[in-house]
Each structure stands twice: as C-alpha cells, then as structure tokens.
C-alpha cells in the first residue's frame, strides 16, 4: 500500500473518531498521521494535521498539552502558506476556547474567516465567522458584543446562512434588555418546532430567567447544575432528583390550598359567593377556623393579582386564572434540564419528563396565555407575597419577551 493510501486511511479514521466524540482516540490517530507526514517530508500537511490533533486534545480535556502543541505550531506560522495559516487559526480558536482564553479564541476565529475569505473558500470562511461571533458573545456579553458583531457582519458576504446566523446573534444582542432575565435565547443547533420543542416551551419562563436556550436540554453554559439543585432544591443524588421530578409532574410541589381555592370559584359568581364556597368546603371537612381564615384571605390575594394581571396584559379584560398547576409543569421542564446536566438522569429520561410535562400542561390549559397566567400566579403566591416587587417585575418582563418576541416559541407554535 502506498504512503498516500496509508495516511489517507489513518486520517479518515481520525476524522471518524472526531465525529463520534472519541476525542482522545482522534488525537492519537492525528498524531500518527502527522508523524508519518513529517517522516516523509510533507511538513505543510503535517502542520494542518497537528492543528487538528491540538483541537482533539483540548476536546479530550488535555488543554495544557493542546496549548503547548499550538504554541509550537504558531512559532513557525510565518513561513506557512496562507491556507495552512488559516486552518491553524481555525483550530487554534477551538483550543483557546477550551482553555478559557475566549477573547484570543475569537480573534483567531475572525482571522481564519478573513483568510479563508481571501482564499475564496466561502464554506470555511462562514463557519469561522459564526464561531467568531459566538466566541465574541461569550467573551464580551451581549452589550459588549454589539460593536464587534457589527464589524464582523460587515466583513461577511450577505445572503448566506452564516451571514443570517451572525445577523440573528447581533439582533439578539441589540434587543437584549439591561437585565439578564429578559432575554430569549434559542439554540441554533436544536429544533425550534415540533413535539419536543413545544414541550420545552412550557419551561420557557425559567429558561428566559436563567439566560439559557429554551429549546435544548443540554445546557452548554458554565453554570453548575449540581450546585443549583443542592442549593435551591436540596437535591444531591439521582433519587432525590426523581422524587422532586415526580412531585412536579403530578403538580404536587405547590401549596394544594391554592388550587382548592381556585376550584371553589366555580360554585359561586361574585367575590362574596366565592368566599362562602371556600368556607363551606372547609366546614364540610372540619377544618380549623384559623385555616379557614387563611384560605379565605388567599382568595383576596388572588383577586388582587388577577386585577394587576389584567392591567399589565397577562390576562384579558375579563380573564381569570383557573389553575396554578402550570407553575409545577414549567419547573418540571427545567428540572429535567438540570437533572441531565447534573448527571442525575440520561437524555432519554430527561426528554420523557419534558414530554410528560408538556402533555399535562396542554390538558389543563387552553392557550399559551392561560398557561402563562397560571404559571406566574403560582410563582407570585410562593415568592412575591402580594408586594408586586422584584419577583413580579421580573416575571412580567420575561412574559413580555415570550409574548412579543417574533422568535418566541409562543408566537411560532400553536398551543397543544
């Protein structure tokens, strides 16, 4: 077998390992290809393969070794042909990003885009441009990224999919309000429609609040979901996660008194009749006078929230909240995301939980709007305590993003 055939077969194997996520094996295979090329005197090709090796090493967790290899390649970069330098820049961007050197990574990706563009290689130029845009956002944040994203976009040929992706990233950065809980993030690599997407959209309130993509379970951000689950939910293992998940899916995490109070409104028309219906329900079950007083007061609190919801557009002029189960269903979607990222469940189980939460929400509510009102009322009764303070303002801001943003799943997908 010839040298070209041997190295070609090994290179194909390395690329296959890379596609399969077997990064350590890919790095070892790329190293063997580079050694063979160097021994044969094909130094330019060897540099390109070494750059791929560095990227695979970084993906396998060997960022230190990857950076040392990258530094060695960079020292001889000035004598390399333009195409090889462009490829080195593209791979270097991934290595530096894995090492947390995001600003440098963005600059290398931008340089790769410019070089590939000069070489009339639009496919690789576009890929490098999108990578540069995402790195800029990660490094500078939406506010700081606006100017460099505009400059980057100006250097990209208009009309292509890569240009549209960067344009959308810029539009999101420009539209993002000052507070990080008011932004809709959509993962461009995940489906934004379909059965699973519709179920994921049931959890969009918290996704907006946490600044994560609403349409994916795998959160690629830096947040540690194990810390979040232990801090906010007392969950430290898979068993505890499953217990909380089941409670959310069965709408048993919230105070059951809230739904009981809402259910009694069907037995009367006005406020007085509603209070009498609540009292009668409690008397039938021999509930204490103090508890009766508390649940009757709860009905008044609900009325005040509903009046504010109507004024702020969360409810139509004659709208009422019929269920707060949506608060549990919406959190269940996010509990699936957190459990997956914490390693307490696998992707199949997380997806099954999301689909169940979506199905049950669709059984209870007739529309996105009614679901949103139920979700927010449940949240307010737990945290806001009738103050219409920061909890309410944040929830209202997030709701308006979901109700008004043209890219919102609530605008793009019919309920149910």
């Amino acid at each position: 077998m010839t040298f070209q055939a041997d190295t070609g077969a090994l290179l194909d194997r390395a690329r296959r390992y890379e596609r399969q996520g077997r990064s350590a094996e890919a790095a070892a295979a790329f190293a063997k290809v580079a050694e063979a090329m160097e021994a044969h005197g094909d130094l330019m090709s060897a540099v390109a393969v070494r750059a791929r090796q560095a990227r695979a090493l970084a993906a396998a967790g060997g960022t230190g070794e990857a950076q040392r290899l990258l530094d060695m390649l960079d020292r001889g970069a000035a004598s390399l042909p333009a195409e090889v330098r462009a490829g080195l820049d593209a791979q270097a961007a991934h290595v530096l990003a894995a090492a947390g050197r995001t600003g440098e990574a963005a600059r290398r990706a931008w340089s790769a885009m410019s070089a590939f563009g000069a070489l009339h290689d639009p496919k690789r130029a576009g890929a490098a441009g999108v990578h540069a845009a995402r790195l800029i956002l990660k490094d500078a944040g939406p506010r700081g990224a606006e100017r460099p994203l505009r400059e980057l976009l100006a250097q990209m040929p208009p009309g292509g999919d890569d240009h549209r992706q960067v344009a959308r990233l810029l539009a999101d950065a420009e539209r993002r309000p000052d507070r990080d809980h008011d932004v809709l993030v959509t993962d461009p690599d995940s489906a934004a429609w379909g059965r699973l997407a519709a179920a994921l959209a049931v959890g969009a309130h918290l996704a907006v609040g946490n600044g994560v993509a609403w349409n994916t379970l795998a959160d690629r951000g830096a947040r540690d979901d194990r810390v979040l689950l232990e801090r906010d939910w007392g969950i430290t293992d898979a068993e505890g996660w499953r217990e909380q998940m089941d409670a959310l899916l069965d709408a048993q995490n919230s105070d059951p008194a809230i739904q009981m109070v809402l259910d009694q409104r069907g037995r009367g028309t006005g406020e007085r009749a509603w209070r009498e219906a609540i009292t009668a329900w409690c008397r039938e079950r021999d509930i204490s006078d103090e508890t009766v007083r508390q649940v009757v007061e709860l009905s008044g609190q609900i009325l005040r929230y509903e009046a504010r919801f109507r004024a702020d557009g969360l409810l139509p002029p004659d709208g009422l909240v019929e269920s707060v189960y949506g608060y549990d269903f919406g959190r269940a979607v996010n509990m699936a995301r957190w459990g997956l990222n914490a390693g307490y469940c696998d992707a199949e189980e997380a997806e099954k939980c999301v689909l169940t939460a979506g199905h049950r929400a669709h059984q209870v509510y007739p529309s996105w709007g009614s679901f949103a009102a139920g979700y927010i009322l449940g949240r307010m009764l737990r945290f806001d305590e009738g103050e219409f303070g920061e909890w309410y303002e944040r929830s209202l801001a997030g709701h308006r993003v979901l109700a008004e943003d043209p890219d919102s799943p609530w605008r793009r997908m019919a309920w149910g």
Side-chain angles (χ1 to χ4, degrees):
M1 188 175 288
T2 65
F3 166 76
Q4 288 83 359
D6 285 340
T7 54
L10 190 53
L11 189 57
D12 287 341
R13 186 188 308 165
R15 290 167 175 162
R16 184 169 65 253
Y17 287 152
E18 193 174 47
R19 290 193 300 270
Q20 293 170 346
R22 298 160 64 180
S23 302
E25 293 168 273
F30 281 129
K32 288 182 179 179
V33 175
E35 289 167 4
M37 289 176 169
E38 289 160 354
H40 199 261
D42 189 0
L43 301 182
M44 295 300 100
S45 297
V47 169
V49 174
R50 289 290 186 191
R52 293 286 291 270
Q53 177 192 352
R55 177 176 174 179
L57 283 169
T63 53
E65 186 178 355
Q67 289 181 89
R68 287 190 291 274
L69 178 55
L70 179 63
D71 290 341
M72 181 192 73
L73 297 172
D74 280 339
R75 284 195 290 271
S79 62
L80 298 174
E83 184 175 2
V84 179
R85 290 200 305 272
L88 178 57
D89 282 334
Q91 302 303 333
H94 291 279
V95 174
L96 293 167
R101 296 161 62 182
T102 317
E104 293 175 70
R107 288 189 287 274
R108 295 297 288 268
W110 193 324
S111 178
M113 180 197 73
S114 300
F116 283 131
L119 291 166
H120 307 290
D121 188 342
K123 183 176 180 181
R124 288 199 285 179
V130 173
H131 191 207
R134 290 174 177 168
L135 289 167
I136 289 167
L137 275 167
K138 185 175 181 180
D139 182 62
R143 290 301 183 198
E146 288 183 28
R147 181 174 177 179
L149 283 177
R150 288 193 199 99
E151 294 174 356
L152 178 72
L153 191 64
Q155 294 184 22
M156 299 182 72
D161 183 62
D162 300 310
H163 185 276
R164 284 191 291 272
Q165 287 189 55
V166 175
R168 177 165 291 185
L169 292 173
L170 173 59
D172 287 343
E174 290 173 333
R175 186 167 59 239
R176 180 175 177 140
D178 292 333
R179 294 175 295 177
D180 62 4
H181 55 267
D182 296 350
V183 62
L184 176 72
V185 180
T186 301
D187 184 347
D189 297 323
S190 300
W193 59 87
R195 181 166 170 252
L196 179 60
L200 285 166
V202 168
H205 282 104
L206 269 178
V208 167
N210 292 331
V212 302
W214 68 268
N215 63 323
T216 184
L217 282 169
D219 179 8
R220 300 178 178 89
R223 191 185 69 246
D224 188 338
D225 285 336
R226 282 189 176 237
V227 172
L228 180 151
L229 287 171
E230 183 173 5
R231 182 193 67 215
D232 296 345
W233 294 81
I235 295 172
T236 57
D237 54 26
E239 184 179 355
W241 173 83
R242 186 72 247 187
E243 182 180 349
Q244 289 286 5
M245 174 58 77
D246 288 340
L248 291 168
L249 290 175
D250 292 337
Q252 293 180 353
N253 183 276
S254 298
D255 184 353
I258 301 171
Q259 192 59 46
M260 179 278 289
V261 168
L262 289 172
D263 289 343
Q264 303 319 302
R265 184 150 48 182
R267 294 169 56 175
T269 54
E271 181 178 350
R272 179 177 177 180
W274 187 18
R275 291 173 181 266
E276 291 173 352
I278 295 168
T279 302
W281 187 93
C282 292
R283 297 295 183 222
E284 290 167 5
R285 289 156 181 80
D286 204 21
I287 293 173
S288 70
D289 290 344
E290 175 61 20
T291 301
V292 173
R293 183 188 64 78
Q294 290 174 356
V295 293
V296 168
E297 287 181 356
L298 178 58
S299 68
Q301 194 173 11
I302 290 170
L303 288 171
R304 289 191 292 276
Y305 273 114
E306 288 177 329
R308 181 66 177 268
F309 285 8
R310 294 186 203 101
D312 289 334
L314 279 165
L315 281 172
D318 58 349
L320 301 173
V321 177
E322 296 184 356
S323 173
V324 289
Y325 288 162
Y327 184 46
D328 279 4
F329 299 147
R331 289 183 294 162
V333 171
N334 291 274
M335 181 62 72
R337 177 180 289 116
W338 300 328
L340 175 62
N341 293 312
Y344 295 149
C345 68
D346 59 23
E348 183 179 358
E349 185 176 9
E351 184 173 320
K352 182 179 178 181
C353 291
V354 169
L355 291 171
T356 300
H359 175 69
R360 293 182 181 178
H362 295 149
Q363 287 183 312
V364 172
Y365 298 97
S367 66
W368 286 113
S370 60
F371 162 74
Y375 176 94
I376 293 175
L377 179 62
R379 195 180 198 204
M380 293 306 98
L381 293 174
R382 172 165 290 196
F383 294 112
D384 188 61
E385 299 179 348
E387 295 181 0
F388 298 99
E390 183 180 0
W391 280 99
Y392 181 75
E393 293 300 328
R394 291 182 61 150
S395 296
L396 177 61
H399 169 81
R400 284 176 171 163
V401 169
L402 288 164
E404 298 171 8
D405 192 312
D407 291 328
S408 167
W410 295 7
R411 299 282 300 273
R412 300 180 68 184
M413 288 186 287
W415 176 256

